[in-house]
């Protein structure tokens, strides 16, 4: 459907009183048999699916707001809204709703919402009581008007009646004209009454009244009335702030007058809600829901209008990246984009997706790469905020951009390296900006958000990119601050104290703690890449130098890094730690800490307790073999005695296993000898020739019994005989002298060899020998090569 008049967005109000966008489509009104009535139908413009099917109920209160909105409630706590692209379409549907309910389309609301407690009483009221009679709009009657407005706030039905009365005959404009008179006369009593009246009207929560009050002609008078709070000794100067202090800056001239007016209105209404109006009580928190919706839809409209004006945005980007642009102008452009992105947070996911894609297509990331490297602190701070919006919205989009950069630029100006350098060079003593940037980096390198099915290689490709181009930049401060003890001395009051952490000031310690936090995250989530980097750079040794820092929080960060490595229970890490003797700085810190019961002491004890509980044998053996003498005096915990116990248990287990192996080997030798002796007899019986035919069954039974015993014994030496049996099969038949010659060798290995030959030989003897067979076998022996003498020699 191409009719833009009927093009709408469907919204529902969630539990947080925020509007959720359910989709964009085209609305129609038609009879639905299933619902048995005229209904509103909205079909999605993308696939034609049904977004909304709502019967126009005769008793439902529909409300028309801002000429392009229709709002209603279908059930308790379930509010719906249709936002039309064009006013004409809204008017058509509104007329249809009013026709079904038999109402006048000129009204802004079709029903008076009736509170259950008042419904019965309302039905008994005479028809004339449906109207609220307002006092004449005069100075002398302001107190009476204020009392009336205040009294109706507790009753939903009376609020509706009062709203209808105020909208008639331009009553609100007359009240605001009285404000100007009271201010000219310095009539404080009248001004205080007007404050109560305007505040009460805002709490009526009616969009039609807001349209009047927030128009260009009236909004400053509304702000003026709200300056004269009776509880204040002196009135606030809100109008002075809005007209003189708060300046509207057009970084690029906005030619659309409607857009400019909408921006002014939204800023002022937001100021009224956030600054002027007091925080509503629990009973008043829903009174301003329509005001919140008013601001929300205004922001949506502003973002949409700016997004559609590609000429405007293109000009903004061109000036932002132009080297000739003055610093002041560039600062305003960056702040504009920051506000623009902040407004976009009011959009629903699909609209926000389109918004950021528009910015990406216009080149927002290359522009940020330029401005984040500038010297102006305000520009860098605003650019960081914009970058955070982009990373939060789509880390994959940022990763895709940075992975294309090495083909176009040097490593030093890669966007991620610019971010890392800004984090490292943060001049704020508290490193507020560095903390924010570290969080963004962690989001970018987090594999949990690299699992999109559309790009399964993203994780591998990006992590390879990061460790190739960026990791060395991130670890520069760490490697520069941790040097050998002989290269750095901290002189204190004439004495020389070795301190390998250079420099060891608070700001450097904070920065190193942030870097260690990021590296610890990498150990947990980047198993392969970070392991390779740690071992190639001997990084853990450099990190453990920080155990000497005078800042305990930094020593704890270093210890946490090692704890996370050991927590992986990876033998490659364990061998690296053992080979480098990397427990030494940890144990030295524990001993230097003495008997103080503090966080550092507990963290070190927990590290060793983890090794004991998880029974990491290689580390336990290393600790006991090298450090137990220094640790055995620590008795306030049983951790080290427990490690010693584990060590002794493993040692006993290994000794027992070795003894059992030796005993099993001797038993095996005895069994072989017994079987060998028995096998000689069996062999003689099996190869006996020319037996009478009637003795054959008995001989066969004896042979099978002997063979069974031989197979059982053969299982115990199968490994020793397998390669020899293979050679025996190759020679087809062994010469008779090989077995007898081998039997006379006395060594254990040769005995096993003979045993294997006999196993093969026994298996090859036939049940009945024929003379012809013997001749053939002799011929075969003469023709075949003689391999066995090499085995027996």
């Amino acid at each position: 459907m191409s009719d833009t008049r009927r093009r709408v967005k469907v919204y529902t109000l969630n539990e947080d009183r925020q509007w959720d966008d359910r989709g964009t489509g085209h609305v129609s009104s038609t009879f639905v048999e299933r619902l048995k009535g005229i209904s509103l139908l909205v079909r999605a413009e993308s696939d034609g699916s049904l977004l909304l099917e709502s019967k126009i109920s005769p008793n439902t209160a529909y409300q028309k707001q801002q000429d392009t909105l229709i709002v209603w409630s279908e059930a308790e706590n379930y509010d719906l809204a249709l936002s039309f692209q064009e006013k004409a379409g809204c008017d058509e549907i509104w007329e249809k709703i009013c026709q079904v309910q038999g109402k006048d389309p000129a009204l802004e609301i079709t029903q008076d919402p009736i509170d259950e407690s008042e419904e019965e009483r309302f039905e008994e009221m005479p028809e004339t009581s449906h109207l609220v009679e307002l006092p004449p709009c005069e100075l002398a009657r302001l107190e009476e008007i204020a009392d009336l407005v205040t009294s109706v706030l507790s009753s939903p039905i009376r609020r509706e009646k009062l709203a209808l009365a105020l909208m008639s005959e331009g009553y609100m404009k007359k009240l605001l004209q009285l404000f100007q008179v009271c201010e000219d006369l310095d009539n404080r009593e009248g001004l205080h009454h007007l404050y109560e009246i305007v505040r009460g009207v805002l709490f009526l929560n009616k969009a039609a009244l807001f349209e009047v009050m927030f128009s260009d002609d009236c909004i400053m008078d509304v702000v003026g009335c709200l300056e004269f709070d009776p509880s204040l000794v002196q009135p606030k100067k809100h109008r002075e702030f809005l007209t003189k202090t708060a300046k509207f800056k057009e970084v690029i001239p906005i030619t659309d007058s409607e857009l400019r007016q909408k921006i002014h209105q939204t800023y002022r209404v937001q100021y009224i809600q956030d600054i002027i109006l007091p925080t509503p009580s629990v009973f008043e928190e829903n009174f301003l829901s329509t005001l919140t919706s008013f601001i929300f839809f205004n922001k949506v409209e502003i973002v949409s209008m700016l997004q559609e004006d590609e000429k405007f945005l293109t000009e903004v980007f061109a000036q932002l990246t132009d080297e000739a642009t003055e610093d002041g102008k560039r600062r305003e452009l960056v702040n504009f984009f920051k506000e623009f992105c902040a407004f976009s947070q009011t959009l629903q996911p699909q609209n926000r997706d389109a918004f950021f894609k528009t910015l990406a297509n216009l080149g927002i990331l290359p522009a940020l790469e330029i401005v984040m490297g500038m010297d102006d602190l305000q520009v860098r701070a605003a650019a960081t905020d914009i970058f955070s919006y982009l990373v939060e919205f789509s880390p994959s989009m940022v990763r895709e951009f940075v992975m294309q950069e090495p083909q176009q630029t040097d490593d030093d100006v890669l966007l991620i390296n610019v971010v890392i350098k800004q984090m490292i060079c943060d001049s704020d003593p508290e490193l507020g900006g560095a903390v924010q940037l570290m969080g963004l980096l962690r989001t970018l390198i987090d594999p949990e958000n690299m699992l999109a099915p559309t790009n399964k290689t993203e994780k591998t490709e990006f992590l390879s990119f990061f460790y190739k181009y960026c990791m060395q930049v991130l670890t520069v401060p760490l490697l520069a601050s941790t040097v050998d003890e002989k290269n750095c001395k901290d002189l204190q009051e004439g004495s020389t104290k070795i301190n390998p952490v250079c420099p060891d000031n608070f700001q450097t310690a904070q920065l190193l703690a942030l870097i260690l936090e990021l590296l610890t995250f990498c150990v947990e989530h980047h198993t392969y890449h970070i392991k390779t980097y740690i071992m190639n750079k001997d990084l853990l040794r450099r990190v453990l130098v920080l155990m000497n820092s005078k800042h305990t929080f930094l020593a704890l960060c270093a210890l946490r890094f090692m704890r996370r490595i050991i927590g992986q229970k990876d033998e490659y890490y364990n061998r690296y730690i053992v080979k480098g003797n990397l427990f030494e700085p940890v144990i030295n810190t524990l001993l230097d800490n003495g008997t103080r019961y503090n966080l550092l002491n507990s963290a070190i004890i927990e590290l060793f307790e983890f090794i004991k509980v998880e029974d990491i044998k290689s580390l336990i053996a290393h600790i006991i073999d090298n450090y137990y003498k220094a640790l055995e005096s620590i008795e306030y915990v049983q951790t080290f005695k427990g490690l010693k116990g584990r060590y002794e248990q493993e040692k006993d287990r290994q000794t027992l296993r070795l003894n059992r192996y030796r005993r099993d080997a001797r038993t095996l030798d005895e069994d072989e000898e017994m079987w060998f002796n028995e096998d000689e007899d069996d062999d003689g019986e099996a190869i006996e020739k020319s037996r009478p035919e009637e003795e054959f069954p008995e001989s066969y039974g004896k042979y099978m019994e002997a063979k069974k015993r031989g197979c059982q014994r053969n299982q115990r030496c199968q490994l020793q005989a397998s390669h020899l049996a293979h050679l025996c099969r190759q020679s087809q038949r062994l010469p008779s002298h090989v077995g007898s010659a081998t039997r006379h060798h006395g060594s254990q290995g040769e005995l096993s060899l003979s045993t294997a030959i006999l196993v093969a030989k026994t298996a090859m003897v036939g049940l009945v020998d024929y003379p012809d067979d013997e001749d053939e076998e002799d011929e075969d022996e003469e023709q075949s090569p003689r391999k066995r003498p090499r085995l027996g020699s």
Side-chain angles (χ1 to χ4, degrees):
M1 186 182 295
S2 60
D3 186 2
T4 58
R5 291 182 307 165
R6 296 290 185 92
R7 190 168 184 264
V8 297
K9 284 185 179 293
V10 180
Y11 291 92
T12 58
L13 195 66
N14 61 29
E15 295 179 353
D16 298 326
R17 310 300 296 174
Q18 299 293 323
W19 288 101
D20 291 336
D21 188 347
R22 296 303 183 188
T24 302
H26 293 84
V27 63
S28 62
S29 58
T30 184
F31 183 83
V32 177
E33 181 66 29
R34 182 173 57 83
L35 300 178
K36 300 189 182 302
I38 302 295
S39 302
L40 297 176
L41 303 180
V42 179
R43 295 195 175 275
E45 64 180 0
S46 58
D47 56 7
S49 60
L50 195 63
L51 297 177
L52 176 68
E53 184 180 58
S54 174
K55 179 182 177 181
I56 302 176
S57 173
N59 299 320
T60 298
Y62 292 85
Q63 190 173 0
K64 184 180 177 185
Q65 301 178 7
Q66 302 182 37
D67 293 332
T68 56
L69 281 174
I70 296 177
V71 183
W72 73 98
S73 298
E74 288 205 340
E76 185 177 0
N77 296 326
Y78 186 67
D79 294 350
L80 289 163
L82 294 180
S83 176
F84 289 78
Q85 182 172 333
E86 296 184 9
K87 180 179 181 298
C90 183
D91 292 340
E92 287 181 14
I93 297 299
W94 182 250
E95 288 178 5
K96 191 66 177 178
I97 293 172
C98 291
Q99 180 183 346
V100 172
Q101 293 194 339
K103 302 294 182 179
D104 183 1
L107 296 175
E108 299 289 336
I109 187 169
T110 62
Q111 299 285 337
D112 292 336
I114 301 172
D115 193 55
E116 291 181 0
S117 61
E118 299 184 357
E119 183 174 358
E120 184 177 344
R121 181 165 53 85
F122 176 66
E123 290 177 351
E124 297 174 355
M125 290 181 180
E127 189 68 24
T128 56
S129 66
H130 284 205
L131 300 176
V132 171
E133 184 176 352
L134 289 169
C137 193
E138 300 172 356
L139 285 176
R141 310 295 291 272
L142 285 177
E143 183 177 3
E144 186 179 347
I145 298 170
D147 291 341
L148 174 62
V149 171
T150 305
S151 66
V152 304
L153 294 179
S154 60
S155 169
I157 183 61
R158 297 187 67 194
R159 288 204 307 268
E160 295 292 336
K161 293 178 186 178
L162 178 59
L164 291 173
L166 289 172
M167 286 185 286
S168 63
E169 300 179 2
Y171 197 89
M172 277 306 304
K173 289 189 176 182
K174 294 176 182 178
L175 277 174
L176 295 175
Q177 289 172 359
L178 285 181
F179 165 73
Q180 297 175 6
V181 174
C182 288
E183 191 171 34
D184 291 340
L185 298 174
D186 196 20
N187 183 347
R188 287 303 176 93
E189 184 179 359
L191 292 170
H192 289 163
H193 290 318
L194 282 168
Y195 170 87
E196 298 291 348
I197 293 170
V198 170
R199 180 177 177 275
V201 171
L202 289 174
F203 282 160
L204 292 179
N205 210 24
K206 295 302 171 187
L209 287 173
F210 293 162
E211 292 287 349
V212 175
M213 299 171 71
F214 300 150
S215 64
D216 287 345
D217 297 336
C218 300
I219 189 166
M220 296 310 292
D221 289 334
V222 170
V223 173
C225 291
L226 294 173
E227 290 179 350
F228 293 92
D229 185 347
S231 62
L232 301 176
V233 177
Q234 292 294 330
K236 297 287 187 179
K237 298 182 179 180
H238 297 302
R239 285 172 295 172
E240 181 179 336
F241 175 83
L242 290 173
T243 55
K244 296 181 180 179
T245 306
K247 297 293 185 182
F248 177 64
K249 297 178 181 179
E250 293 182 80
V251 291
I252 302 292
I254 297 176
T255 56
D256 190 338
S257 59
E258 182 183 356
L259 174 59
R260 188 187 297 107
Q261 186 272 335
K262 189 70 69 176
I263 293 172
H264 283 305
Q265 184 188 61
T266 304
Y267 177 79
R268 291 165 180 170
V269 176
Q270 187 87 59
Y271 183 86
I272 290 172
Q273 184 186 46
D274 294 344
I275 306 300
I276 300 178
L277 290 177
T279 303
S281 66
V282 176
F283 303 103
E284 298 173 336
E285 59 183 4
N286 292 328
F287 283 2
L288 296 175
S289 60
T290 303
L291 182 61
T292 302
S293 300
F294 184 93
I295 296 170
F296 171 82
F297 288 114
N298 265 17
K299 289 182 176 180
V300 170
E301 194 170 348
I302 290 170
V303 173
S304 300
M305 294 172 75
L306 285 172
Q307 186 178 339
E308 292 168 3
D309 191 348
E310 292 188 6
K311 183 178 179 181
F312 175 83
L313 290 178
T314 303
E315 180 64 23
V316 172
F317 274 105
Q319 292 198 24
L320 186 63
T321 56
D322 188 355
E323 294 181 359
T325 303
E326 297 179 357
D327 292 343
K329 181 72 170 179
R330 182 175 283 108
R331 189 181 303 119
E332 292 177 358
L333 289 165
V334 175
N335 285 328
F336 163 77
F337 265 116
K338 177 183 172 182
E339 289 286 326
F340 196 22
C341 292
F343 267 40
S344 73
Q345 300 307 295
T346 62
L347 299 176
Q348 293 304 308
Q350 56 267 45
N351 296 332
R352 196 158 60 242
D353 185 29
F355 168 79
F356 281 111
K357 284 181 178 177
T358 300
L359 293 187
N361 293 335
L362 289 170
I364 183 67
L365 286 169
L368 282 178
E369 193 172 56
I370 294 173
V371 297
M372 288 184 76
M374 293 182 174
D375 295 331
D376 191 317
L377 293 178
Q378 292 184 8
V379 169
R380 289 213 310 257
T384 300
D385 290 337
I386 297 170
F387 185 65
S388 68
Y389 285 124
L390 294 171
V391 171
E392 180 182 353
F393 162 70
S394 176
S396 294
M397 180 181 74
V398 179
R399 285 192 287 262
E400 183 180 358
F401 169 77
V402 299
M403 281 192 290
Q404 296 171 355
E405 288 187 290
Q407 306 169 8
Q408 307 165 2
T409 185
D410 297 331
D411 293 357
D412 290 340
V413 292
L414 294 176
L415 178 58
I416 291 193
N417 285 346
V418 171
V419 172
I420 292 173
K421 288 177 182 177
Q422 187 170 332
M423 181 185 82
I424 293 172
C425 300
D426 188 5
S427 58
D428 180 6
E430 299 297 327
L431 296 184
V435 172
Q436 182 184 10
L437 290 169
M438 190 274 291
L440 297 177
L441 285 173
R442 184 163 59 181
T443 301
L444 288 174
I445 64 175
D446 186 355
E448 294 296 325
N449 57 48
M450 298 183 196
L451 303 179
T454 56
N455 187 3
K456 296 181 180 179
T457 62
E458 180 184 12
K459 176 180 177 179
T460 302
E461 291 178 357
F462 181 76
L463 291 181
S464 298
F465 163 86
F466 181 78
Y467 281 87
K468 180 178 181 180
Y469 295 103
C470 307
M471 182 58 91
Q472 67 269 22
V473 181
L474 178 65
T475 55
V476 163
L478 177 62
L479 299 177
S481 300
T482 54
V483 297
D484 296 334
E485 293 187 355
K486 62 182 181 180
N487 295 330
C488 184
K489 292 185 177 181
D490 182 21
L491 301 178
Q492 294 182 351
E493 299 180 359
S495 64
T496 303
K497 178 184 178 182
I498 303 301
N499 182 11
V501 184
C502 301
D504 199 14
N505 56 62
F506 179 72
Q507 189 166 358
T508 301
Q510 279 190 305
L511 176 61
L512 295 178
L514 287 177
I515 294 172
L516 280 176
E517 184 177 343
L518 205 57
L519 291 175
T520 304
F521 177 85
C522 293
V523 168
E524 190 171 3
H525 294 86
H526 302 169
T527 51
Y528 167 73
H529 293 86
I530 188 64
K531 185 195 304 180
T532 304
Y533 189 83
I534 288 173
M535 293 184 178
N536 288 343
K537 299 292 184 181
D538 198 11
L539 190 63
L540 180 56
R541 182 185 303 279
R542 303 297 287 271
V543 169
L544 290 176
V545 170
L546 300 176
M547 297 292 292
N548 296 287
S549 174
K550 64 184 179 183
H551 302 285
T552 305
F553 71 88
L554 182 56
L556 286 167
C557 287
L559 183 66
R560 189 181 305 119
F561 180 68
M562 185 178 189
R563 170 66 174 81
R564 198 59 51 88
I565 288 176
I566 293 175
Q568 301 302 302
K569 294 187 284 188
D570 187 322
E571 275 304 310
Y572 285 101
Y573 276 135
N574 295 343
R575 286 197 292 270
Y576 164 66
I577 292 171
V578 170
K579 184 178 179 181
N581 207 26
L582 297 181
F583 277 108
E584 183 176 345
V586 178
I587 292 174
N588 286 338
T589 301
L590 176 65
L591 297 176
D592 291 342
N593 191 63
T595 58
R596 284 174 289 181
Y597 183 65
N598 51 23
L599 184 57
L600 184 61
N601 174 274
S602 299
I604 296 175
I605 295 296
E606 191 277 334
L607 172 67
F608 290 105
E609 184 70 23
F610 175 81
I611 295 171
K612 183 194 77 174
V613 171
E614 295 296 327
D615 195 17
I616 306 177
K617 295 179 175 56
S618 57
L619 297 184
I620 292 175
H622 174 70
I623 293 167
I624 298 301
D625 287 341
N626 294 276
Y627 305 109
Y628 187 67
K629 289 184 178 180
L631 298 172
E632 64 180 344
S633 61
I634 299 177
E635 298 181 347
Y636 55 86
V637 290
Q638 298 302 307
T639 300
F640 300 107
K641 288 186 177 179
L643 285 172
K644 179 69 171 176
R646 293 270 185 169
Y647 175 80
E648 297 293 347
Q649 288 176 6
E650 181 61 23
K651 198 171 181 180
D652 292 344
R653 193 179 296 115
Q654 290 179 0
T655 301
L656 181 62
R657 189 181 299 118
L658 182 61
N659 293 337
R660 182 180 302 164
Y661 172 76
R662 290 172 177 170
R663 184 171 62 253
D664 291 345
R666 288 195 299 271
T667 304
L668 182 61
D669 293 342
E670 294 171 0
D671 290 345
E672 286 177 350
E673 181 68 29
M674 291 173 61
W675 174 69
F676 175 78
N677 294 332
E678 291 177 4
D679 223 25
E680 272 189 314
D681 300 336
D682 294 342
D683 189 46
E685 294 176 5
I687 62 176
E688 186 178 355
K689 300 180 181 180
S690 62
R691 293 177 179 232
E693 187 175 350
E694 61 271 12
E695 295 180 5
F696 175 73
E698 182 179 355
S699 301
Y700 177 73
K702 291 180 178 179
Y703 169 76
M704 292 304 296
E705 183 178 348
K707 183 178 181 181
K708 182 177 180 182
R709 291 198 304 272
C711 291
Q712 291 173 345
R713 296 186 186 94
N714 186 39
Q715 292 175 358
R716 291 193 294 270
C717 57
Q718 185 175 2
L719 293 176
Q720 298 171 325
S722 59
H723 62 291
L724 297 175
H726 174 69
L727 294 174
C728 290
R729 283 194 300 271
Q730 287 183 337
S731 62
Q732 295 182 356
R733 182 176 180 85
L734 292 172
S736 59
H737 67 277
V738 173
S740 60
T742 310
R743 291 188 194 104
H744 297 293
H745 290 284
S747 68
Q748 181 176 328
E750 290 169 340
L751 181 61
S752 300
L753 177 63
S754 303
T755 302
I757 295 172
L758 287 171
V759 171
K761 181 178 178 181
T762 303
M764 291 187 292
V765 173
L767 296 178
V768 180
D769 289 341
Y770 295 94
D772 294 339
D773 292 342
E774 186 175 353
D775 296 337
E776 291 175 3
E777 290 172 357
D778 293 339
E779 292 174 5
D780 293 340
E781 288 178 2
E782 293 173 1
Q783 295 175 3
S784 62
R786 303 180 63 85
K787 299 181 181 179
R788 184 57 61 186
R790 185 174 71 249
L791 295 174
S793 61

